[in-house]
Amino acid sequence: MAPVAPRGMGGVAAAERPTAGRETVLTVANLEKVYGGGANSATRALAGISFSIDRGEYVAIMGPSGSGKSTLLNCVATIDQPTSGQVFIHGSDVTRMRSRELSQFRRNELGFIFQDANLLDTLTCRENVALPLTIAGKPAREIDQRVDGIARRLGVADQLDKYPYQVSGGQRQRMAACRAMVTSPTLVLADEPTGALDSKNAKLLLESFDTLNAELKATILMVTHDSFAASYCQRVLFIRDGRIFTELRRGEMSRRDFFDRIMEVVAMIGGEGSDVL
Amino acid sequence: MFFKLALGNVRKSVRDYAVYFVTLALGVAVFYAFNTISGQADFLSTNASEIVGTISSIMTGTTVFLAFVLGFLMVYANNYLVKRRKRELGLYQVLGMTRGQVSSVLVLETLMASLLAFVAGIAIGLIFSQLLVFVTANFLHDRVHDFAFRVSPEAMGLTLLCFGIIFLVMLAFNLRTLRKVRLVDLMGAERRNESVRLRNLPLNVALFVAGVGLIVGAYVRLDHDGLPVGGPATLPAFGVTTLMVIAGTFLFFYSVSGFMLRVAQRFHGAYYHGLNMFTVRQLAAKINTVSISTGLISLILFFAITSVTSGLSICAMLNQNSDAGAPYDATFTAIYERGDGAGAAATHPADIAAQLKDKGYDLGPITRGSFLASSYEVSSVPGTSSMSLGDFLAVSGDEVPSVYRNRDVATFGLFMMSESDYNAVRALDGLGPVSLGSDGYVLTTDTTDLAKVYSDALAKGKTVVVNGRTLHPLQTEAISDASARFENSATAATNPGTVVVPDELLAGCTPYSTCLGISYAGDTDAADDLVRRISRARVGDLTENGAGVAFLAISSTRTDELAASLGMTGVVSYLSIYIGFVLVISCAAILAIQQLSEASDSAQRYRLLSEIGCPRSLSNRSLLVQTLVYFLAPLAVAVAHSLCAMRSVITVVRLFGALDITGVAATTAGMFLVVYGAYFLVTYSVAKGLVNAHTVEARS
Ligand SMILES: Nc1ncnc2c1ncn2[C@@H]1O[C@H](COP(=O)(O)OP(=O)(O)OP(=O)(O)O)[C@@H](O)[C@H]1O
Ligand SMILES: [Mg+2]
């Protein structure tokens, strides 16, 4: 196992690290989720899904509506409890953790970005971004530095002192990304982050993710309907009926080619998504 | 079909309706019981005491006031309910119901819940009023028989009428709410953020300073002017003070949140610690939107605290005074016609006993001992000066007691009494005689505040001039034992200052009044009976040489005085505690509703906090702090107002006699805190449940 990269805003240090060593950040093993107790009414949202993600990977999950994408993400995010199977993050099985450990785990290891930015409306953007750090008990000086640093990277530094309803939807979503990234989490989870954005703002957000992934080696797992959004990733997992249907790796492909490949698979699965672009 | 839908809705949202239901039921119960009491208090009118008039006017005012308070409470509670259910009501419209149909569902629902609550309220009210009768009986030492419990149809009718009106007003508000919002808003009710109003900082600070300034200014004014007991002329100044404190309170609550936010942000390290930032922002956003109602709650609490404390202190004083206030078995007081009146001027005191005997009421058989003592005004004794309160103040160097501050102390004259009359009073009290010699005097009073002024002046050798003769004080203190009272009155002071002078100085002058005091020989009941008969007969004129010179104004037995005092003690304590509790419960209920509504509005925020890894203990603590501040802020301001106001109230109450208010204040504070604290605890635990039900932990 490769040495663990120093945490914090060590973008430069991480970039200098040799890329040969691979470190698995997330492993999902035989994950199953059944909704509803009744025999007839039960929905098998996840049917024993397995995959793993390495440090620094940028992965998209696609699939038709109702295929279990959100359910998967929620289980990984420890927001939902799977029926069976395991989720290992950084080597620990989160399905076994108790609620007190879980909140600490979420605070330290995970970052979330939701479809609607979900910022607290009573706080300014700066305070929203700072919130995970204050909860973690970081000193005020460090909080200021980190917040400014991440906001500059995502191009919203000049919007920090506004309230969420005073900035645009795209900026709001990037603020949410700032909040997810500010703790330098092991894994960033995003559920349709571009869903509520127009194509220009979606592009801006995706480029931000790209930057974070490239410069900070942030590991990102993103659920999306949008083939264009998925084409920014290095790998796309296709889900159908609660199982991995197939997966695509970008490799050395150009984004344009990768996008075409994704479109092919989407058409084959028969999901929507093809109509997004 | 609407009926079924409405019924189903009430059943479904029992939890939402519970708040409304309990509040309404409580309101009805309290209102019913209160109105029963005001009906039962009628028996007081037999007593001619001045305070009775005050009490009944206070009660009328209070009834109106309470109706408004309860109306506000109902509209508020119901508005909370409608707000909670905006989404559902929006859904009906999306599903194709017309706005009118949705409205009728809403009206039906509210009507059903209200009727149920009304019935429950009346039931509670009946039990409540019965329970209170026991308390009252205890107060009155079983003296007042009119206080027997009864079901009061009038009170029930009045309650129904009031709540009917309140219900209609409430409906109007609801329908307006429903009409005002657009469908898209209805559907988004859960999502829509109450936009945080931004205010500019200098303005906020200026408003805050202005608010605090107004409050402090009002405190200073009140402390200086006292309560407006000096007559109508002092009312405008008091009105200004009142307006200042009201405006100041509203300004304070309007600006305090913004101000505190800025202050908190100055402490950067603490602000960026744990959830402090979130807590402060939540409070700021919330107090912003409810600043008016918080101000109102604070003022109502203030009113509650002062009315209860003044009521209870009046009672403490009454109990203390009732024995000392009625030292004689019976007294009769005659007031003389003025010289310019229809009758002739009397040249010597009327013999009340002899005149009564002429009219067929022979006091002889019931009298063991008696005195006949006359008081003279300065104006009716020639060559008299240096006898006003102002003269005594000039010598004593004391400040004008605040109650007399609004009167003209220079014309506030003392009375005079002859040495032998006074010694007769002392003899009946079982006290030894005083001996004045040719140029000595002593001074008596039963008014505590004035006794101090007089004593200070006497100690400095204050002289008075009566009938051209200069008199010197024989004692360095004013006499305020039983001999300072010439007539029974268990509820008020009767002697603002009487100078006892050698007999010859008053000879041939027309008295102001003459008191006959007797101690009974034999059976008290029979004797009381005779005196009451004289009272009822309205004997009227006392004559001399065929001309009316005086009229018999008051006759009073100790038995009746004590009963009146007890009755009054009971009613005053009863009313004040009662009003106080209604108000405190109303305020606490409003705060509870606001807090619960806020908690469910904020549930999404707490969910987000839990999603980004905030431990439950941390967010619960934030909720606790918010609830605590929310309950404490209006209380703290109310207590500050009350402490200031009570100084003035105590000054007025002390007119009646000496007063120790610590015990009363502690008891009142304790009772209020228990009620208020109970509401706080319930609110916190329900809010905690509401919020935590949405967090991530609750899902897994
Ligand atoms: N709380 C729930 N209770 C019962 N069934 C649920 C619940 N949440 C999701 N499901 C079901 O599980 C299945 C997967 O849902 P999920 O939300 O994961 O789909 P998705 O892939 O995210 O779809 P979409 O692209 O539309 O968001 C669906 O059939 C859904 O109906
Ligand atoms: Mg989904």
Side-chain angles (χ1 to χ4, degrees), chain A residues 35-36 43 45 63-72 192 223 225:
Chain A
Y35 283 114
T43 310
S65 182
S67 56
K69 304 183 292 293
S70 296
T71 306
L72 172 63
E192 301 192 36
V223 167
H225 269 124

Side-chain angles (χ1 to χ4, degrees), chain B residues 254-276:
Chain B
Y254 183 76
S255 57
V256 68
S257 57
F259 186 79
M260 293 315 283
L261 180 62
R262 302 298 158 176
V263 171
Q265 285 175 335
R266 294 254 163 237
F267 299 92
H268 197 54
Y271 188 65
Y272 270 1
H273 185 264
L275 283 184
N276 290 353

Side-chain angles (χ1 to χ4, degrees), chain A residues 78-79 99 103 106-107 112 114 116 118 120-124 126-127 131 134-135 144 163 165-166 179, chain B residues 191 193 196 198 265 268 271-272 274 277 281-282 285 605 607-611 613-615 696-697:
Chain A
T78 73
I79 288 172
S99 76
S103 66
R106 276 198 298 278
R107 186 160 74 234
F112 299 94
F114 306 91
D116 51 343
N118 214 348
L120 292 176
D121 50 350
T122 46
L123 273 58
T124 61
R126 178 187 296 284
E127 289 165 350
L131 199 55
T134 70
I135 292 172
D144 283 333
Y163 285 91
Y165 60 88
Q166 292 173 316
R179 185 181 62 198
Chain B
R191 277 288 164 108
N193 302 329
V196 186
L198 289 177
Q265 285 175 335
H268 197 54
Y271 188 65
Y272 270 1
M277 177 170 81
R281 284 288 188 180
Q282 281 285 99
R605 299 185 188 136
R607 173 165 173 79
L608 179 80
L609 285 182
S610 76
E611 279 171 353
C614 175
V696 175
E697 279 86 347

Side-chain angles (χ1 to χ4, degrees), chain B residues 342-404:
Chain B
T347 52
H348 58 88
D351 185 343
I352 297 176
Q355 297 241 4
L356 283 175
K357 192 172 177 183
D358 284 352
K359 293 178 196 293
Y361 304 102
D362 188 1
L363 296 177
I366 64 162
T367 306
R368 196 183 61 216
S370 70
F371 67 77
L372 189 68
S374 302
S375 301
Y376 296 78
E377 281 184 302
V378 173
S379 59
S380 53
V381 181
T384 299
S385 60
S386 298
M387 275 283 242
S388 73
L389 177 56
D391 296 325
F392 276 87
L393 281 165
V395 174
S396 77
D398 287 319
E399 278 203 33
V400 184
S402 58
V403 175
Y404 299 93

